[in-house]
Amino acid sequence: MRIRFAMPALAATAVLAAVAATFTAPTAAAGSAALNELTYGSNILLQNQYQGDGGYLDTNGRSAQPGATYDVSTNETPNSRGPKTSVWKIVSATGKANGTRVTSGDVVYLVNQYSSGTYLDTNGHSTRSGAKYDVSATATKDRGTGTGKWHIFGKTSSPADGHIRTNDTVHLLNDYGSANGGFLDTNGLSNQQGGAKYDVSTSHYWDRGTGTGSWKVLPAS
């Protein structure tokens, strides 16, 4: 009997599958989260790994994008521009309760804690070389279909059980266009003032440059 295999219907599905295949599959776990395991409802910092320190993901200034609230860049020092501008709450986009472990491959919202809180979001095509979409923060959870949702993939962890821990490095894939919104990425110097370092957009590649799409998860004090 001849077995026939179907080709993927969507390029985005193939991209997502290829990314997921590079990360450790989760294993079942019971009980409360262990020390340093990332859980929903936690406040974190995200430090870009370009050249070892690409700055901290930060809201900075009003965005010119339609429907957006703040521009997003990286900052030299966390929260130096304003109260909690570099602090992000990790919230499940699939209904997982606060306190539940975050697992590599989960879909999340990242909610900036400055002022009343805004959601990390893709909004419009970026003019940066090699970039895909511009990234800003918006007051609306789902400004467009999937624009505020991010697939979080752990690069590795110890133990290799699929959970994500503080000091782990992650890649973040935007869900716009059926997980085809690109990977969160630093690209070029930021035009924003107040200690901004690099512009933030999305890229077709999880590391467009060495570490540009890699983000270290750090606890927010």
Side-chain angles (χ1 to χ4, degrees), residues 83-102:
K84 298 186 177 181
T85 58
S86 301
V87 176
W88 301 84
K89 179 180 283 188
I90 187 161
V91 177
S92 174
T94 59
K96 292 186 178 181
N98 285 349
T100 304
R101 294 176 177 92
V102 179

mmCIF file with all atom_site columns, all heavy atoms in Angstrom, residues 83-102:
data_model
loop_
_atom_site.group_PDB
_atom_site.id
_atom_site.type_symbol
_atom_site.label_atom_id
_atom_site.label_alt_id
_atom_site.label_comp_id
_atom_site.label_asym_id
_atom_site.label_entity_id
_atom_site.label_seq_id
_atom_site.pdbx_PDB_ins_code
_atom_site.Cartn_x
_atom_site.Cartn_y
_atom_site.Cartn_z
_atom_site.occupancy
_atom_site.B_iso_or_equiv
_atom_site.pdbx_formal_charge
_atom_site.auth_seq_id
_atom_site.auth_comp_id
_atom_site.auth_asym_id
_atom_site.auth_atom_id
_atom_site.pdbx_PDB_model_num
ATOM 1   N N   . PRO A 1 83  ? 8.619  54.816 36.032 1.00 0.00 ? 83  PRO A N   1
ATOM 2   C CA  . PRO A 1 83  ? 8.265  53.702 36.914 1.00 0.00 ? 83  PRO A CA  1
ATOM 3   C C   . PRO A 1 83  ? 7.754  52.483 36.143 1.00 0.00 ? 83  PRO A C   1
ATOM 4   O O   . PRO A 1 83  ? 6.745  52.566 35.449 1.00 0.00 ? 83  PRO A O   1
ATOM 5   C CB  . PRO A 1 83  ? 7.160  54.294 37.805 1.00 0.00 ? 83  PRO A CB  1
ATOM 6   C CG  . PRO A 1 83  ? 7.321  55.773 37.697 1.00 0.00 ? 83  PRO A CG  1
ATOM 7   C CD  . PRO A 1 83  ? 7.837  56.028 36.321 1.00 0.00 ? 83  PRO A CD  1
ATOM 8   N N   . LYS A 1 84  ? 8.486  51.393 36.226 1.00 0.00 ? 84  LYS A N   1
ATOM 9   C CA  . LYS A 1 84  ? 8.082  50.085 35.676 1.00 0.00 ? 84  LYS A CA  1
ATOM 10  C C   . LYS A 1 84  ? 7.957  50.077 34.156 1.00 0.00 ? 84  LYS A C   1
ATOM 11  O O   . LYS A 1 84  ? 7.272  49.221 33.592 1.00 0.00 ? 84  LYS A O   1
ATOM 12  C CB  . LYS A 1 84  ? 6.781  49.604 36.311 1.00 0.00 ? 84  LYS A CB  1
ATOM 13  C CG  . LYS A 1 84  ? 6.885  49.392 37.817 1.00 0.00 ? 84  LYS A CG  1
ATOM 14  C CD  . LYS A 1 84  ? 5.612  48.781 38.380 1.00 0.00 ? 84  LYS A CD  1
ATOM 15  C CE  . LYS A 1 84  ? 5.767  48.519 39.881 1.00 0.00 ? 84  LYS A CE  1
ATOM 16  N NZ  . LYS A 1 84  ? 4.554  47.910 40.457 1.00 0.00 ? 84  LYS A NZ  1
ATOM 17  N N   . THR A 1 85  ? 8.628  50.985 33.455 1.00 0.00 ? 85  THR A N   1
ATOM 18  C CA  . THR A 1 85  ? 8.576  50.957 31.988 1.00 0.00 ? 85  THR A CA  1
ATOM 19  C C   . THR A 1 85  ? 9.253  49.716 31.408 1.00 0.00 ? 85  THR A C   1
ATOM 20  O O   . THR A 1 85  ? 8.989  49.360 30.255 1.00 0.00 ? 85  THR A O   1
ATOM 21  C CB  . THR A 1 85  ? 9.237  52.214 31.392 1.00 0.00 ? 85  THR A CB  1
ATOM 22  O OG1 . THR A 1 85  ? 10.594 52.294 31.834 1.00 0.00 ? 85  THR A OG1 1
ATOM 23  C CG2 . THR A 1 85  ? 8.481  53.471 31.768 1.00 0.00 ? 85  THR A CG2 1
ATOM 24  N N   . SER A 1 86  ? 10.102 49.064 32.186 1.00 0.00 ? 86  SER A N   1
ATOM 25  C CA  . SER A 1 86  ? 10.784 47.852 31.720 1.00 0.00 ? 86  SER A CA  1
ATOM 26  C C   . SER A 1 86  ? 10.200 46.581 32.331 1.00 0.00 ? 86  SER A C   1
ATOM 27  O O   . SER A 1 86  ? 10.736 45.491 32.112 1.00 0.00 ? 86  SER A O   1
ATOM 28  C CB  . SER A 1 86  ? 12.279 47.921 32.048 1.00 0.00 ? 86  SER A CB  1
ATOM 29  O OG  . SER A 1 86  ? 12.886 49.045 31.459 1.00 0.00 ? 86  SER A OG  1
ATOM 30  N N   . VAL A 1 87  ? 9.141  46.706 33.098 1.00 0.00 ? 87  VAL A N   1
ATOM 31  C CA  . VAL A 1 87  ? 8.532  45.549 33.769 1.00 0.00 ? 87  VAL A CA  1
ATOM 32  C C   . VAL A 1 87  ? 7.358  45.041 32.932 1.00 0.00 ? 87  VAL A C   1
ATOM 33  O O   . VAL A 1 87  ? 6.481  45.811 32.525 1.00 0.00 ? 87  VAL A O   1
ATOM 34  C CB  . VAL A 1 87  ? 8.049  45.916 35.183 1.00 0.00 ? 87  VAL A CB  1
ATOM 35  C CG1 . VAL A 1 87  ? 7.340  44.727 35.831 1.00 0.00 ? 87  VAL A CG1 1
ATOM 36  C CG2 . VAL A 1 87  ? 9.233  46.357 36.052 1.00 0.00 ? 87  VAL A CG2 1
ATOM 37  N N   . TRP A 1 88  ? 7.338  43.718 32.709 1.00 0.00 ? 88  TRP A N   1
ATOM 38  C CA  . TRP A 1 88  ? 6.294  43.082 31.904 1.00 0.00 ? 88  TRP A CA  1
ATOM 39  C C   . TRP A 1 88  ? 5.663  41.941 32.688 1.00 0.00 ? 88  TRP A C   1
ATOM 40  O O   . TRP A 1 88  ? 6.376  41.074 33.195 1.00 0.00 ? 88  TRP A O   1
ATOM 41  C CB  . TRP A 1 88  ? 6.888  42.542 30.595 1.00 0.00 ? 88  TRP A CB  1
ATOM 42  C CG  . TRP A 1 88  ? 7.535  43.606 29.773 1.00 0.00 ? 88  TRP A CG  1
ATOM 43  C CD1 . TRP A 1 88  ? 8.812  44.083 29.897 1.00 0.00 ? 88  TRP A CD1 1
ATOM 44  C CD2 . TRP A 1 88  ? 6.930  44.369 28.726 1.00 0.00 ? 88  TRP A CD2 1
ATOM 45  N NE1 . TRP A 1 88  ? 9.049  45.080 28.991 1.00 0.00 ? 88  TRP A NE1 1
ATOM 46  C CE2 . TRP A 1 88  ? 7.917  45.288 28.260 1.00 0.00 ? 88  TRP A CE2 1
ATOM 47  C CE3 . TRP A 1 88  ? 5.674  44.359 28.132 1.00 0.00 ? 88  TRP A CE3 1
ATOM 48  C CZ2 . TRP A 1 88  ? 7.658  46.178 27.221 1.00 0.00 ? 88  TRP A CZ2 1
ATOM 49  C CZ3 . TRP A 1 88  ? 5.414  45.255 27.099 1.00 0.00 ? 88  TRP A CZ3 1
ATOM 50  C CH2 . TRP A 1 88  ? 6.401  46.142 26.656 1.00 0.00 ? 88  TRP A CH2 1
ATOM 51  N N   . LYS A 1 89  ? 4.345  41.962 32.784 1.00 0.00 ? 89  LYS A N   1
ATOM 52  C CA  . LYS A 1 89  ? 3.626  40.843 33.405 1.00 0.00 ? 89  LYS A CA  1
ATOM 53  C C   . LYS A 1 89  ? 3.332  39.808 32.334 1.00 0.00 ? 89  LYS A C   1
ATOM 54  O O   . LYS A 1 89  ? 2.870  40.143 31.240 1.00 0.00 ? 89  LYS A O   1
ATOM 55  C CB  . LYS A 1 89  ? 2.323  41.310 34.055 1.00 0.00 ? 89  LYS A CB  1
ATOM 56  C CG  . LYS A 1 89  ? 1.517  40.167 34.692 1.00 0.00 ? 89  LYS A CG  1
ATOM 57  C CD  . LYS A 1 89  ? 0.241  40.654 35.336 1.00 0.00 ? 89  LYS A CD  1
ATOM 58  C CE  . LYS A 1 89  ? 0.529  41.303 36.671 1.00 0.00 ? 89  LYS A CE  1
ATOM 59  N NZ  . LYS A 1 89  ? -0.717 41.614 37.416 1.00 0.00 ? 89  LYS A NZ  1
ATOM 60  N N   . ILE A 1 90  ? 3.602  38.540 32.662 1.00 0.00 ? 90  ILE A N   1
ATOM 61  C CA  . ILE A 1 90  ? 3.341  37.469 31.697 1.00 0.00 ? 90  ILE A CA  1
ATOM 62  C C   . ILE A 1 90  ? 1.966  36.867 31.999 1.00 0.00 ? 90  ILE A C   1
ATOM 63  O O   . ILE A 1 90  ? 1.700  36.411 33.109 1.00 0.00 ? 90  ILE A O   1
ATOM 64  C CB  . ILE A 1 90  ? 4.470  36.421 31.708 1.00 0.00 ? 90  ILE A CB  1
ATOM 65  C CG1 . ILE A 1 90  ? 4.265  35.414 30.577 1.00 0.00 ? 90  ILE A CG1 1
ATOM 66  C CG2 . ILE A 1 90  ? 4.645  35.747 33.059 1.00 0.00 ? 90  ILE A CG2 1
ATOM 67  C CD1 . ILE A 1 90  ? 5.510  34.641 30.223 1.00 0.00 ? 90  ILE A CD1 1
ATOM 68  N N   . VAL A 1 91  ? 1.086  36.935 31.006 1.00 0.00 ? 91  VAL A N   1
ATOM 69  C CA  . VAL A 1 91  ? -0.309 36.517 31.144 1.00 0.00 ? 91  VAL A CA  1
ATOM 70  C C   . VAL A 1 91  ? -0.610 35.475 30.078 1.00 0.00 ? 91  VAL A C   1
ATOM 71  O O   . VAL A 1 91  ? -0.215 35.627 28.917 1.00 0.00 ? 91  VAL A O   1
ATOM 72  C CB  . VAL A 1 91  ? -1.253 37.730 30.981 1.00 0.00 ? 91  VAL A CB  1
ATOM 73  C CG1 . VAL A 1 91  ? -2.713 37.298 31.036 1.00 0.00 ? 91  VAL A CG1 1
ATOM 74  C CG2 . VAL A 1 91  ? -0.959 38.781 32.049 1.00 0.00 ? 91  VAL A CG2 1
ATOM 75  N N   . SER A 1 92  ? -1.298 34.415 30.462 1.00 0.00 ? 92  SER A N   1
ATOM 76  C CA  . SER A 1 92  ? -1.647 33.376 29.494 1.00 0.00 ? 92  SER A CA  1
ATOM 77  C C   . SER A 1 92  ? -2.651 33.896 28.475 1.00 0.00 ? 92  SER A C   1
ATOM 78  O O   . SER A 1 92  ? -3.629 34.566 28.833 1.00 0.00 ? 92  SER A O   1
ATOM 79  C CB  . SER A 1 92  ? -2.233 32.157 30.209 1.00 0.00 ? 92  SER A CB  1
ATOM 80  O OG  . SER A 1 92  ? -2.697 31.205 29.269 1.00 0.00 ? 92  SER A OG  1
ATOM 81  N N   . ALA A 1 93  ? -2.431 33.575 27.199 1.00 0.00 ? 93  ALA A N   1
ATOM 82  C CA  . ALA A 1 93  ? -3.390 33.919 26.143 1.00 0.00 ? 93  ALA A CA  1
ATOM 83  C C   . ALA A 1 93  ? -4.347 32.773 25.871 1.00 0.00 ? 93  ALA A C   1
ATOM 84  O O   . ALA A 1 93  ? -5.207 32.877 24.996 1.00 0.00 ? 93  ALA A O   1
ATOM 85  C CB  . ALA A 1 93  ? -2.643 34.287 24.865 1.00 0.00 ? 93  ALA A CB  1
ATOM 86  N N   . THR A 1 94  ? -4.204 31.687 26.636 1.00 0.00 ? 94  THR A N   1
ATOM 87  C CA  . THR A 1 94  ? -5.062 30.515 26.422 1.00 0.00 ? 94  THR A CA  1
ATOM 88  C C   . THR A 1 94  ? -5.836 30.139 27.679 1.00 0.00 ? 94  THR A C   1
ATOM 89  O O   . THR A 1 94  ? -6.381 29.039 27.761 1.00 0.00 ? 94  THR A O   1
ATOM 90  C CB  . THR A 1 94  ? -4.232 29.311 25.949 1.00 0.00 ? 94  THR A CB  1
ATOM 91  O OG1 . THR A 1 94  ? -3.225 29.004 26.924 1.00 0.00 ? 94  THR A OG1 1
ATOM 92  C CG2 . THR A 1 94  ? -3.568 29.600 24.609 1.00 0.00 ? 94  THR A CG2 1
ATOM 93  N N   . GLY A 1 95  ? -5.850 31.035 28.659 1.00 0.00 ? 95  GLY A N   1
ATOM 94  C CA  . GLY A 1 95  ? -6.678 30.816 29.841 1.00 0.00 ? 95  GLY A CA  1
ATOM 95  C C   . GLY A 1 95  ? -6.022 30.102 30.996 1.00 0.00 ? 95  GLY A C   1
ATOM 96  O O   . GLY A 1 95  ? -6.710 29.725 31.960 1.00 0.00 ? 95  GLY A O   1
ATOM 97  N N   . LYS A 1 96  ? -4.714 29.910 30.971 1.00 0.00 ? 96  LYS A N   1
ATOM 98  C CA  . LYS A 1 96  ? -4.045 29.270 32.107 1.00 0.00 ? 96  LYS A CA  1
ATOM 99  C C   . LYS A 1 96  ? -4.039 30.218 33.299 1.00 0.00 ? 96  LYS A C   1
ATOM 100 O O   . LYS A 1 96  ? -3.839 31.425 33.155 1.00 0.00 ? 96  LYS A O   1
ATOM 101 C CB  . LYS A 1 96  ? -2.625 28.875 31.736 1.00 0.00 ? 96  LYS A CB  1
ATOM 102 C CG  . LYS A 1 96  ? -2.548 27.753 30.699 1.00 0.00 ? 96  LYS A CG  1
ATOM 103 C CD  . LYS A 1 96  ? -1.110 27.300 30.466 1.00 0.00 ? 96  LYS A CD  1
ATOM 104 C CE  . LYS A 1 96  ? -1.058 26.152 29.469 1.00 0.00 ? 96  LYS A CE  1
ATOM 105 N NZ  . LYS A 1 96  ? 0.333  25.683 29.258 1.00 0.00 ? 96  LYS A NZ  1
ATOM 106 N N   . ALA A 1 97  ? -4.243 29.660 34.478 1.00 0.00 ? 97  ALA A N   1
ATOM 107 C CA  . ALA A 1 97  ? -4.391 30.467 35.684 1.00 0.00 ? 97  ALA A CA  1
ATOM 108 C C   . ALA A 1 97  ? -3.058 31.053 36.147 1.00 0.00 ? 97  ALA A C   1
ATOM 109 O O   . ALA A 1 97  ? -1.987 30.465 35.904 1.00 0.00 ? 97  ALA A O   1
ATOM 110 C CB  . ALA A 1 97  ? -4.986 29.618 36.801 1.00 0.00 ? 97  ALA A CB  1
ATOM 111 N N   . ASN A 1 98  ? -3.121 32.202 36.815 1.00 0.00 ? 98  ASN A N   1
ATOM 112 C CA  . ASN A 1 98  ? -1.935 32.748 37.458 1.00 0.00 ? 98  ASN A CA  1
ATOM 113 C C   . ASN A 1 98  ? -1.370 31.729 38.451 1.00 0.00 ? 98  ASN A C   1
ATOM 114 O O   . ASN A 1 98  ? -2.125 31.038 39.143 1.00 0.00 ? 98  ASN A O   1
ATOM 115 C CB  . ASN A 1 98  ? -2.272 34.043 38.195 1.00 0.00 ? 98  ASN A CB  1
ATOM 116 C CG  . ASN A 1 98  ? -2.456 35.213 37.259 1.00 0.00 ? 98  ASN A CG  1
ATOM 117 O OD1 . ASN A 1 98  ? -2.137 35.140 36.070 1.00 0.00 ? 98  ASN A OD1 1
ATOM 118 N ND2 . ASN A 1 98  ? -2.972 36.309 37.777 1.00 0.00 ? 98  ASN A ND2 1
ATOM 119 N N   . GLY A 1 99  ? -0.057 31.645 38.502 1.00 0.00 ? 99  GLY A N   1
ATOM 120 C CA  . GLY A 1 99  ? 0.602  30.656 39.346 1.00 0.00 ? 99  GLY A CA  1
ATOM 121 C C   . GLY A 1 99  ? 0.956  29.379 38.612 1.00 0.00 ? 99  GLY A C   1
ATOM 122 O O   . GLY A 1 99  ? 1.754  28.582 39.095 1.00 0.00 ? 99  GLY A O   1
ATOM 123 N N   . THR A 1 100 ? 0.364  29.180 37.411 1.00 0.00 ? 100 THR A N   1
ATOM 124 C CA  . THR A 1 100 ? 0.677  28.009 36.590 1.00 0.00 ? 100 THR A CA  1
ATOM 125 C C   . THR A 1 100 ? 2.034  28.203 35.920 1.00 0.00 ? 100 THR A C   1
ATOM 126 O O   . THR A 1 100 ? 2.392  29.301 35.512 1.00 0.00 ? 100 THR A O   1
ATOM 127 C CB  . THR A 1 100 ? -0.399 27.815 35.503 1.00 0.00 ? 100 THR A CB  1
ATOM 128 O OG1 . THR A 1 100 ? -1.671 27.715 36.130 1.00 0.00 ? 100 THR A OG1 1
ATOM 129 C CG2 . THR A 1 100 ? -0.139 26.559 34.675 1.00 0.00 ? 100 THR A CG2 1
ATOM 130 N N   . ARG A 1 101 ? 2.798  27.119 35.794 1.00 0.00 ? 101 ARG A N   1
ATOM 131 C CA  . ARG A 1 101 ? 4.095  27.195 35.135 1.00 0.00 ? 101 ARG A CA  1
ATOM 132 C C   . ARG A 1 101 ? 3.955  27.622 33.671 1.00 0.00 ? 101 ARG A C   1
ATOM 133 O O   . ARG A 1 101 ? 3.026  27.221 32.983 1.00 0.00 ? 101 ARG A O   1
ATOM 134 C CB  . ARG A 1 101 ? 4.796  25.831 35.170 1.00 0.00 ? 101 ARG A CB  1
ATOM 135 C CG  . ARG A 1 101 ? 5.197  25.322 36.531 1.00 0.00 ? 101 ARG A CG  1
ATOM 136 C CD  . ARG A 1 101 ? 5.779  23.919 36.354 1.00 0.00 ? 101 ARG A CD  1
ATOM 137 N NE  . ARG A 1 101 ? 6.271  23.339 37.586 1.00 0.00 ? 101 ARG A NE  1
ATOM 138 C CZ  . ARG A 1 101 ? 5.549  22.564 38.395 1.00 0.00 ? 101 ARG A CZ  1
ATOM 139 N NH1 . ARG A 1 101 ? 4.277  22.320 38.096 1.00 0.00 ? 101 ARG A NH1 1
ATOM 140 N NH2 . ARG A 1 101 ? 6.094  22.043 39.478 1.00 0.00 ? 101 ARG A NH2 1
ATOM 141 N N   . VAL A 1 102 ? 4.916  28.392 33.219 1.00 0.00 ? 102 VAL A N   1
ATOM 142 C CA  . VAL A 1 102 ? 5.019  28.732 31.801 1.00 0.00 ? 102 VAL A CA  1
ATOM 143 C C   . VAL A 1 102 ? 5.867  27.677 31.124 1.00 0.00 ? 102 VAL A C   1
ATOM 144 O O   . VAL A 1 102 ? 6.977  27.367 31.562 1.00 0.00 ? 102 VAL A O   1
ATOM 145 C CB  . VAL A 1 102 ? 5.651  30.124 31.603 1.00 0.00 ? 102 VAL A CB  1
ATOM 146 C CG1 . VAL A 1 102 ? 5.763  30.457 30.119 1.00 0.00 ? 102 VAL A CG1 1
ATOM 147 C CG2 . VAL A 1 102 ? 4.836  31.190 32.333 1.00 0.00 ? 102 VAL A CG2 1
#
